[in-house]
């Protein structure tokens, strides 16, 4: 049988404030949960050994939750808000709820498998009544004994209440709501609903009270009662957070885009005979035309709101107004263990777009709140693109068990991590929080990173497949390598470098790394030039310490290092990486930029990736008139490790195509990168954009396909060296090879005449390239014959075969002679097919929960360099993700 296992998934967190969680697990560990596009990612921490750093924490995605409601519009849907579902009585996390940009809600609940280790997830899809706009925030509670889930969602058009067990759902409010909070007072068995408005000015916190149980409140007749609003914030409300150390007097923190935090005390007085406040006394309105005095009376102890209920009266007072941030507040979080952290009764954390995370506490004498310390991520390129600098934080979360670790959700999707390190000699004698702060330091750890836009292409390092390279519309090229952890030898993949941070969307990449000259890549973007990069010395040193299986001849390695520059510098315009700092952009150098001997012996942080890990640009290839679309090299076809014969096997060529606005641009350019020279232009084969290129492993053929539904086979002329022109000629062309666009082509790595093509019509065709001699015996003709024609097993909503967007042959056969082909589909699924002489059979369909959420853009098998190991398949997608699968064959 053929089996698969997801061993890596990288994608940046969604660019929304409420899409990050840090939760406790049943096995006394914690997990970081975040959304990327339409996927929920669950991460665990592993200890790694890199160079001299033993036990360095590395976070990796171990599980992904993919909604089953993926449809034809899945690529347009993304998760915009997420929350944990806690039990109303115990506070344990029972699952997650996610809100999408199309107004739908997914509820995920975990259930332990009977008699098996691990757990499975159940999914339930809800739809807010009349909601079609993007969900801005979501919150929910799990209610015993049946563990029913009540969810509230906020949108730009209002707020709604939904239930997983009841068909009842209704709209609670009809004004713009930016943030929402559903809080259950456990000791009072009362529930309050808070809504933060998104008005042009004078924003309010609207308060609703549940006079009945949440189950009963799911009917229109028993909906929550509007009890009033809290005034004060001058801009959109962004977040709420409850501090529960005093059950009858909890504190509510509210953050706003006015860069201020307000603390509200909800103090409850128990007793009978207290008159409940009439609903008619408060006007529920979104009218903002009237003026509200800005100098609101903020006398200490004055009740801003009184809420009467069956148990007594709850009075809301303003306790404090916190100043400190310079830009909008994006998230606030109460620390779960303030005493063990800094010997304080209460500690509050806040994140902002001013690139800082502040840790607040109040003075024991005066009660005034002020920042104890700040955490941030200096570094990067000042004024650079999102891929090279930090523009601000969208959220902050605290490790729930000990509280000695923080995570910051940066704009651009990187998740920055810090862990608390104490000077034991200072902290042991410390008696105040100030002394503890001076004896402690928040140390940055390697981030959880990934692309934050469509991943357009990928390739493996050509000579040994040591690492994976990906490019994206987020204008970055990222390099992923696997490191061995101290946890049972488990391998995890991390971002080791960011060779290119560009000013244009990157569209294509290929490796031309050889044993004599390693680590050279060629990239294409939405510009007319092709750029060539060579790895710097710092990357070689990091690679040697990070990858325990890094092997090379020491003599060659030393000679190679002598020819490399120390590092690259990004210029002010962000286009060509330079090997000299003379013309570089100004860097935010408040970090370890002093080139210390140990500076390369740790995994790079986000600030390192965006600035220090760049590769110098060593060449540009000019000639195209429009934006690059596809780049392919002869080395990428040699993934089988088999020594092939032929006159062109050792030639290194690069082929490229661009977006074609007319027939003239529908051409292919052949490059000799070593000479920075275009040696041939192949024209006349296509009439529109060429979408895919593939060399045969012996270098004799080049196949091309495009939007004109045509497949062309170009043949290398015999007895023509690289010094001469006209290397290739059009050998044969198949008109209407498929009924729709032919998105992908790939030659079999160990069979030089076998070609696969995948099309938007849902079909895959296997072609045999044959040579037939003419009668005169002096010439021959190349033909392409269809051996097999089959359709993907996945069907669309209209019961048609799902469009095929990527195909790739495995680098070795199974059952001695049969081939294995991976196909990627428009709905994000991956299938493994067996190609035999007589038929094609579906060997394995990778589980949907392990697959992408949107169109697969590229499939690429890792080149074989070690016998006995499982095959490794990489995939990229429009869902911003890059996935790596281990494919086992026991046939």
């Amino acid at each position: 049988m053929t089996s698969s296992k997801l061993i890596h998934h990288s994608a940046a967190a969604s660019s929304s404030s409420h899409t990050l969680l840090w939760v406790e697990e049943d096995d006394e560990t914690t997990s970081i949960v975040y959304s990327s596009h339409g996927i929920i990612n669950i991460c665990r921490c592993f200890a790694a050994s890199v160079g001299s750093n033993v036990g360095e924490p590395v976070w990796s995605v171990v599980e992904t939750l993919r909604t089953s409601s993926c449809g034809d519009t899945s690529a347009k849907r993304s998760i915009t808000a997420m929350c944990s579902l806690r039990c109303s009585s115990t506070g344990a996390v029972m699952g997650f709820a996610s809100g999408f940009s199309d107004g739908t809600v997914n509820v995920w609940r975990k259930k332990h498998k009977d008699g098996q280790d691990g757990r499975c997830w159940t999914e339930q899809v809800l739809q807010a009544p009349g909601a079609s706009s993007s969900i801005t925030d979501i919150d929910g509670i799990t209610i015993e004994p049946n563990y029913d889930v009540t969810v509230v969602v906020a949108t730009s058009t209002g707020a709604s209440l939904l239930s997983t067990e009841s068909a009842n759902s209704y709209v609670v409010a009809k004004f713009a709501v930016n943030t929402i909070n559903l809080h259950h007072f456990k000791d009072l068995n009362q529930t309050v609903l808070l809504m933060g408005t998104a008005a042009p000015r004078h924003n309010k916190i609207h308060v609703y009270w549940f006079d009945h149980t949440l189950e009963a409140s799911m009917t229109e007749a028993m909906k929550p009662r509007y009890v009033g609003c809290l005034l004060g914030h001058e801009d959109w409300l962004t977040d709420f957070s409850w501090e529960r150390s005093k059950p009858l007097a909890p504190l509510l923190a509210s953050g706003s885009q006015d860069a201020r935090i307000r603390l509200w005390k909800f103090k409850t007085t128990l007793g009978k005979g207290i008159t409940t406040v009439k609903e008619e006394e408060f006007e529920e309105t979104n009218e903002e035309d009237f003026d509200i005095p800005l100098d609101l009376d903020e006398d200490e102890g004055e009740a801003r709101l009184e809420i009467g209920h069956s148990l007594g009266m709850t009075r809301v007072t303003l306790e404090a107004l916190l100043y400190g941030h310079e830009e909008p507040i994006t998230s606030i979080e109460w620390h779960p263990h303030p005493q063990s952290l800094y010997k304080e009764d209460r500690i509050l954390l806040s994140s902002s777009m001013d690139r800082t995370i502040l840790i607040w506490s109040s003075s024991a004498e005066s009660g005034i709140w002020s920042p104890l310390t700040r955490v941030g991520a200096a570094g990067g390129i000042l004024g650079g693109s999102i891929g090279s600098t930090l523009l601000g934080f969208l959220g902050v979360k605290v490790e729930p068990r000990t509280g000695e670790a923080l995570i910051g959700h940066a704009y651009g999707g990187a998740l920055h991590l810090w862990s608390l390190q104490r000077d034991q000699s200072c902290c042991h004698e410390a008696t105040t929080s100030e002394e503890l702060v001076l004896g402690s330091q928040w140390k940055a750890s390697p981030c959880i990173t990934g692309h934050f836009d469509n991943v357009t292409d990928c390739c493996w390092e050509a000579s040994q497949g040591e690492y994976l390279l990906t490019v994206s519309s987020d204008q970055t090229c990222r390099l992923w390598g696997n490191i061995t952890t101290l946890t049972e030898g488990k391998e995890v993949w991390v971002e080791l470098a960011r060779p290119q941070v560009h000013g244009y969307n990157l569209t294509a990449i290929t490796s031309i790394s050889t044993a004599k000259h390693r680590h050279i890549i060629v990239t294409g973007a939405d510009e007319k030039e092709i750029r060539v990069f060579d790895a710097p010395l710092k990357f070689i040193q990091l690679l040697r310490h990070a990858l325990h299986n890094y092997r090379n001849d020491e003599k060659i390695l030393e000679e190679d290092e002598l020819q490399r520059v120390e590092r690259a510098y990004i210029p002010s315009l962000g286009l060509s990486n330079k090997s000299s700092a003379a013309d570089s952009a100004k860097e935010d150098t408040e970090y370890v930029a002093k080139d210390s001997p140990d500076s390369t012996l740790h995994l790079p942080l986000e600030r390192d990736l965006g600035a220090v890990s760049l590769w110098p640009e060593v060449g540009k290839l000019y000639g195209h008139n429009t934006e690059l679309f596809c780049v392919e090299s002869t080395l990428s076809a040699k993934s089988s490790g088999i020594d092939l014969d032929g006159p062109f096997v050792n030639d290194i060529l690069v082929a490229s195509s661009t977006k074609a606005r007319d027939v003239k641009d529908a051409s292919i350019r052949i490059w000799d990168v070593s000479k920075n020279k275009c040696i041939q232009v192949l024209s006349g084969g296509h009439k529109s954009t060429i979408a895919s290129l593939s060399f045969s492993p012996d270098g004799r053929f080049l196949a091309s396909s495009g939007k004109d539904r045509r497949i062309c086979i170009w043949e290398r002329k015999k007895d023509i060296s690289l010094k001469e022109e006209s290397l290739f000629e059009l050998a044969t062309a198949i008109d209407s090879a498929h009924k729709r666009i032919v998105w992908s082509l790939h030659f079999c790595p160990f069979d030089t005449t076998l070609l696969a093509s995948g099309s938007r019509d849902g079909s895959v065709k296997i072609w045999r390239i044959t040579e037939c001699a003419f009668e005169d015996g002096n010439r021959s003709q190349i033909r392409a014959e269809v051996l097999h024609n089959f359709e993907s097993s996945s069907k669309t909503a209209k019961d048609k075969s799902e469009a095929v967007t990527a195909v790739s042959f495995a680098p070795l056969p199974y059952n001695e002679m049969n081939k294995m082909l991976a196909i990627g589909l428009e709905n994000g699924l991956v299938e493994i097919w067996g190609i035999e002489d007589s038929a094609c059979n579906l060997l394995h369909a990778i589980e949907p929960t392990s697959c992408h959420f949107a169109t697969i853009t590229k499939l690429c098998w890792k080149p074989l360099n070690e016998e006995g190991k499982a095959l490794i398949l990489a995939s990229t997608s429009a869902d911003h993700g890059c996935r790596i699968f281990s494919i086992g064959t026991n046939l």
Side-chain angles (χ1 to χ4, degrees), residues 371-433:
L372 277 174
T373 186
R374 61 189 289 169
V375 179
I381 304 300
L382 292 177
S385 64
I386 298 176
S388 62
T389 190
L390 172 66
L391 300 184
F393 287 106
L394 295 174
V396 60
K397 293 296 177 182
V398 186
E399 195 275 329
R401 288 195 178 274
T402 64
E404 295 188 353
L406 306 177
I407 184 168
H409 177 188
Y411 187 87
L415 300 180
H416 296 251
L417 292 144
W418 296 270
S419 57
L420 186 65
Q421 291 190 344
R422 301 185 188 272
D423 185 336
Q424 296 300 327
S425 60
C426 296
C427 295
H428 181 71
E429 301 175 357
T431 58
T432 65
S433 59

Side-chain angles (χ1 to χ4, degrees), residues 59 69 79 217 291 327 347 367 384 431 446 459 465 491 545 557 665 671 673 707 816 838 891:
W59 288 83
S69 61
I79 296 175
S217 298
D291 289 329
E327 297 291 338
I347 291 179
T431 58
C459 73
E491 291 186 347
H545 290 98
L557 185 63
D665 294 327
W671 306 88
V673 176
K707 297 183 178 181
E816 296 183 356
S838 58
L891 299 175

Side-chain angles (χ1 to χ4, degrees), residues 370-530:
S370 61
L372 277 174
T373 186
R374 61 189 289 169
V375 179
I381 304 300
L382 292 177
S385 64
I386 298 176
S388 62
T389 190
L390 172 66
L391 300 184
F393 287 106
L394 295 174
V396 60
K397 293 296 177 182
V398 186
E399 195 275 329
R401 288 195 178 274
T402 64
E404 295 188 353
L406 306 177
I407 184 168
H409 177 188
Y411 187 87
L415 300 180
H416 296 251
L417 292 144
W418 296 270
S419 57
L420 186 65
Q421 291 190 344
R422 301 185 188 272
D423 185 336
Q424 296 300 327
S425 60
C426 296
C427 295
H428 181 71
E429 301 175 357
T431 58
T432 65
S433 59
E434 290 78 9
E435 293 174 348
L436 280 173
V437 170
L438 292 175
S440 307
Q441 179 185 6
W442 291 96
K443 181 184 177 182
S445 302
C447 301
I448 301 173
T449 63
H451 290 288
F452 54 89
D453 208 336
N454 298 353
V455 187
T456 51
D457 198 5
C458 70
C459 73
W460 292 93
E461 188 269 330
S463 64
Q464 295 184 14
E466 285 184 306
Y467 48 79
L468 178 70
L469 293 147
T470 57
V471 292
S472 166
S473 297
D474 66 6
Q475 303 181 354
T476 65
C477 169
R478 302 179 189 239
L479 186 150
W480 308 92
N482 63 322
I483 61 175
T484 303
T485 68
L486 303 179
T487 308
E488 299 179 355
K490 177 180 174 61
E491 291 186 347
V492 297
W493 292 76
V494 295
E495 186 177 357
L496 295 178
R498 201 165 292 172
Q500 185 181 14
V501 178
H502 204 35
Y504 294 94
N505 295 352
L506 293 171
T507 56
I509 187 170
T510 190
S511 170
I512 54 173
S513 176
T514 64
K516 293 183 178 180
H517 196 146
R518 309 283 300 283
H519 318 301
I520 302 180
I521 61 173
V522 180
T523 66
D526 280 343
E527 58 174 346
K528 301 174 184 178
E529 299 94 32
I530 297 174

Side-chain angles (χ1 to χ4, degrees), residues 61-75:
V61 175
V62 296
E63 191 174 7
T64 59
L65 303 181
R66 177 187 186 271
T67 176
S68 60
S69 61
C70 293
D72 296 336
T73 61
S74 63

